[in-house]
Amino acid sequence: MTTQDNSNQVPDGCAFVIFGVTGDLTHRLVIPALYNLAEAGLLPEKFCVVGVTRKEMASDDLRESLLQGLRKYATRPVDDKVADQLLYCVTAISADPSEPDSFDRLRERLEKLEANRNTGGNRLFYLATPPDAFAPIATELGRAGLLEETSGAWRRLVVEKPFGTDLASAKALNDHLLGIISEHELYRIDHYLGKETVQNILVLRFSNGMFEPIWNREHIDHIQITVEEKLGVGHRGSFYDKTGALRDMVPNHLFQLLSLVAMEPPAHFNAHAVRSAKADVLAAIQIQSEDEALRNSVRGQYTSGRIGDSEIPDYRSAKDVEPDSTTETFAALKLSIDNWRWAGVPFYLRTGKALSGKRTEVAIKFKQAPFSMFRCTPVRELSQNYLVIGIEPVEGISLQFNTKVPGPVIAIDGVEMTFKYKDYFKVAPSNGYETLLHDCMIGDNILFQRADGVEAGWRVVQPFLDAWKKAGAHGLQIYRAGSEGPEDADELLTRDGRDWRKLG
Ligand SMILES: NC(=O)C1=CN([C@@H]2O[C@H](COP(=O)(O)OP(=O)(O)OC[C@H]3O[C@@H](n4cnc5c(N)ncnc54)[C@H](OP(=O)(O)O)[C@@H]3O)[C@@H](O)[C@H]2O)C=CC1
Ligand SMILES: O=C1O[C@H](COP(=O)(O)O)[C@@H](O)[C@H](O)[C@H]1O
């Protein structure tokens, strides 16, 4: 998604430098996204990919490994010619941030490649490494002069998630990176913003006249944001056990959804205005005390169970997970936004692993009809209207409303009208990263997080982190893998006279 009509713009020539090129993200998402861009004719002719690894690696070996990854993870059949053209641009270079000399050698080799490929000196550095390497790599890039702008060429630094592990570390990382590179050159990735259905929240709200007048506390009862996954922790125990569901999903992905749904209309459709409106609404979320945070949250951890044909082992028995771990694999929160649009409208958020289904959605529940003139159905029995923005697996929008059941007497039932992307648009499947990478290469950061937005998100989450840490095992609910999560998550809503939208 670009702010100008430049979605078909072929970026300037550039060097695309990937740190962590031997890793999972590069193979699973980055190279397949570059392939999709190449197939769409959206990569520059004057282009090279530099794969940085701390190992000694021949370029041919790297190309072979990336090709295997592409075949495994591509979202569409791989055209050998396009793949060959892309992989021909790949060169492996060794550099390790703990060995500063290696970055000087990286600069020399990069300059030669740039001259050969005539890339014009533009450089995009993509940090697809574990987060503790972000700051050291940026430091070395700065020290070795790789980020210095020369004769109008641009420099951009793309940083993966997670951006910090709490408010203090996110601030420290922002301060560190912004001491080396400017905000407009820094691209903090959140892959949710690469999803069509997430970008469509802006279009739904601000290109239709009918929603904005009712998009407020007068008409909306509450909003639910759900990201449920069937997958358990799998092989990511060493990362996940230190992280947990709250840090892994809420300040980034769920808050992206929340901010797009709750933001004020931006004054312009550009990166500054949209990111300011998003940061403003995050800054308006009420900061809870630790006691309030405990009252307004539920955390759970899955134990063994069955999902479809698969037996899911207990979370605590997963590789690299502490046997007495109190890390949450499920989190539910109730938040309030203190502004004129949303005062009194609760936002309920939930996310978890090893649940019965895969579902990502934003459900907006409207207020009850003020009275019922139908004697068959008292007002309390009329279903309330839901507008559901489906992100996954259903990509689309559905509206639930009441209708007359055919027949000689009046009877009322709730029905659903659904728009599905796949029924309307014949687009090749993407992995979401191609939009983000294309935007980086053309210099549009509307879909990337800004420092103030990141910090506002962590500020909201911090009391929950602190309160849960102090509570330890106390209050951690155990739920069965394949269930709908801890029962107390229902209680978070039923005590307010509400309930979660059921799966399906
Ligand atoms: N995998 C995924 O699906 C997703 C990953 N992410 C994020 O992407 C980033 C990378 O994840 P992923 O690819 O899964 O991780 P991996 O561990 O698979 O790969 C990371 C690579 O980074 C390199 N690396 C490791 N430590 C250092 C270091 N100290 N300095 C420099 N390079 C280092 C290693 O390559 P070498 O040894 O060759 O130098 C390694 O192959 C993480 O921040 C993750 O949170 C985000 C969304 C999804
Ligand atoms: O970033 C992450 O996101 C995935 C969920 O992404 P989705 O696009 O499948 O909804 C999650 O599984 C993972 O733990 C987290 O690190």
Side-chain angles (χ1 to χ4, degrees):
M1 184 162 86
T2 53
T3 50
Q4 313 294 322
D5 183 17
N6 52 6
S7 48
N8 287 325
Q9 180 185 326
V10 177
D12 299 335
C14 66
F16 194 106
V17 183
I18 307 174
F19 287 84
V21 74
T22 59
D24 182 66
L25 179 80
T26 302
H27 286 74
R28 181 192 294 275
L29 291 166
V30 178
I31 295 296
L34 287 177
Y35 170 86
N36 288 349
L37 289 176
E39 201 183 41
L42 289 174
L43 284 186
E45 228 172 88
K46 296 167 179 174
F47 184 63
C48 64
V49 177
V50 174
V52 182
T53 161
R54 293 166 305 166
K55 309 176 181 83
E56 286 303 323
M57 194 171 196
S59 293
D60 278 345
D61 292 342
L62 176 59
R63 290 185 194 123
E64 182 53 33
S65 162
L66 296 177
L67 180 61
Q68 298 306 325
L70 182 59
R71 292 200 193 290
K72 189 165 169 192
Y73 298 116
T75 51
R76 48 188 98 154
V78 174
D79 177 330
D80 288 340
K81 201 167 151 219
V82 179
D84 283 352
Q85 275 169 357
L86 175 63
L87 295 171
Y88 167 77
C89 301
V90 175
T91 306
I93 299 185
S94 301
D96 186 332
S98 64
E99 294 166 20
D101 290 355
S102 65
F103 273 63
D104 297 316
R105 292 194 294 275
L106 170 64
R107 193 192 62 239
E108 285 161 22
R109 288 201 57 193
L110 182 58
E111 284 168 355
K112 281 190 190 141
L113 266 175
E114 288 172 330
N116 276 341
R117 299 278 165 87
N118 199 13
T119 56
N122 299 315
R123 293 174 185 162
L124 186 154
F125 296 99
Y126 193 117
L127 308 192
T129 64
D132 54 5
F134 298 161
I137 293 174
T139 303
E140 283 313 310
L141 287 172
R143 189 205 50 76
L146 281 145
L147 296 172
E148 273 165 31
E149 284 188 20
T150 47
S151 54
W154 50 255
R155 304 284 185 257
R156 291 176 194 142
L157 185 67
V158 184
V159 182
E160 262 298 335
K161 69 162 284 243
F163 198 94
T165 53
D166 58 12
L167 178 59
S169 58
K171 274 183 169 175
L173 185 56
N174 272 329
D175 289 350
H176 185 90
L177 296 178
L178 292 172
I180 297 170
I181 198 160
S182 315
E183 179 64 55
H184 75 276
E185 298 168 310
L186 189 53
Y187 290 68
R188 300 173 190 81
I189 279 210
D190 184 315
H191 80 273
Y192 265 51
L193 289 173
K195 295 179 192 265
E196 289 288 347
T197 40
V198 174
Q199 294 165 24
N200 189 44
I201 297 173
L202 278 178
V203 178
L204 175 80
R205 287 193 58 197
F206 302 126
S207 74
N208 294 297
M210 66 183 183
F211 295 119
E212 188 53 22
I214 55 169
W215 209 263
N216 55 51
R217 65 191 303 277
E218 299 300 330
H219 301 277
I220 292 177
D221 179 71
H222 74 276
I223 294 184
Q224 300 180 11
I225 301 179
T226 298
V227 182
E228 295 177 333
E229 297 185 79
K230 277 190 186 177
L231 289 178
V233 65
H235 300 294
R236 297 172 71 214
S238 69
F239 160 76
Y240 197 84
D241 205 37
K242 289 194 271 339
T243 306
L246 182 59
R247 285 190 172 92
D248 190 33
M249 298 297 289
V250 176
N252 37 58
H253 307 327
L254 275 82
F255 278 5
Q256 291 303 328
L257 299 176
L258 182 149
S259 56
L260 289 170
V261 167
M263 69 198 262
E264 294 302 312
H268 304 283
F269 185 51
N270 63 33
H272 174 74
V274 171
R275 298 195 304 173
S276 297
K278 287 172 65 191
D280 283 349
V281 77
L282 290 174
I285 301 177
Q286 202 176 91
I287 306 298
Q288 306 193 18
S289 67
E290 288 180 27
D291 284 347
E292 289 167 331
L294 285 180
R295 261 200 311 283
N296 289 323
S297 67
V298 175
R299 65 197 163 113
Q301 188 187 75
Y302 69 84
T303 183
S304 57
R306 203 175 172 75
I307 305 182
D309 293 337
S310 315
E311 288 294 341
I312 309 289
D314 185 9
Y315 171 73
R316 290 183 188 173
S317 67
K319 184 168 175 288
D320 299 327
V321 168
E322 294 294 327
D324 56 353
S325 169
T326 56
T327 299
E328 79 287 353
T329 59
F330 177 99
L333 313 181
K334 176 183 171 186
L335 301 176
S336 310
I337 299 181
D338 286 346
N339 66 17
W340 279 52
R341 185 186 289 268
W342 297 117
V345 179
F347 283 68
Y348 300 101
L349 278 57
R350 62 179 162 166
T351 182
K353 291 204 180 286
L355 296 170
S356 59
K358 166 80 178 162
R359 172 172 59 157
T360 304
E361 67 173 35
V362 179
I364 296 143
K365 193 160 194 182
F366 288 88
K367 288 193 168 163
Q368 187 73 268
F371 86 107
S372 173
M373 63 183 193
F374 308 105
R375 264 177 283 150
C376 61
T377 315
V379 70
R380 67 175 182 285
E381 285 175 22
L382 286 176
S383 330
Q384 285 169 250
N385 306 126
Y386 259 126
L387 179 72
V388 181
I389 302 171
I391 312 290
E392 248 182 299
V394 178
E395 296 182 309
I397 291 166
S398 72
L399 183 64
Q400 294 174 12
F401 52 91
N402 294 312
T403 200
K404 178 181 174 301
V405 179
V409 291
I410 288 270
I412 295 176
D413 203 0
V415 294
E416 193 168 301
M417 196 163 68
T418 302
F419 147 74
K420 289 185 183 157
Y421 269 81
K422 67 177 172 53
D423 298 340
Y424 273 76
F425 303 112
K426 301 282 168 263
V427 287
S430 75
N431 70 19
Y433 265 65
E434 47 282 88
T435 310
L436 299 175
L437 299 188
H438 181 255
D439 281 5
C440 290
M441 284 189 273
I442 63 169
D444 191 338
N445 42 22
I446 193 167
L447 292 178
F448 295 82
Q449 302 192 77
R450 208 172 59 188
D452 52 352
V454 171
E455 290 178 19
W458 279 115
R459 199 166 289 116
V460 173
V461 159
Q462 191 65 50
F464 294 90
L465 292 174
D466 295 341
W468 290 0
K469 188 172 175 197
K470 282 182 196 153
H474 184 72
L476 180 73
Q477 312 283 310
I478 300 298
Y479 63 96
R480 193 176 40 78
S483 70
E484 293 188 7
E487 283 171 12
D488 283 15
D490 292 338
E491 167 63 18
L492 192 65
L493 272 75
T494 50
R495 71 179 191 209
D496 293 345
R498 302 184 170 103
D499 46 24
W500 292 107
R501 208 180 85 84
K502 291 282 171 240
L503 190 67

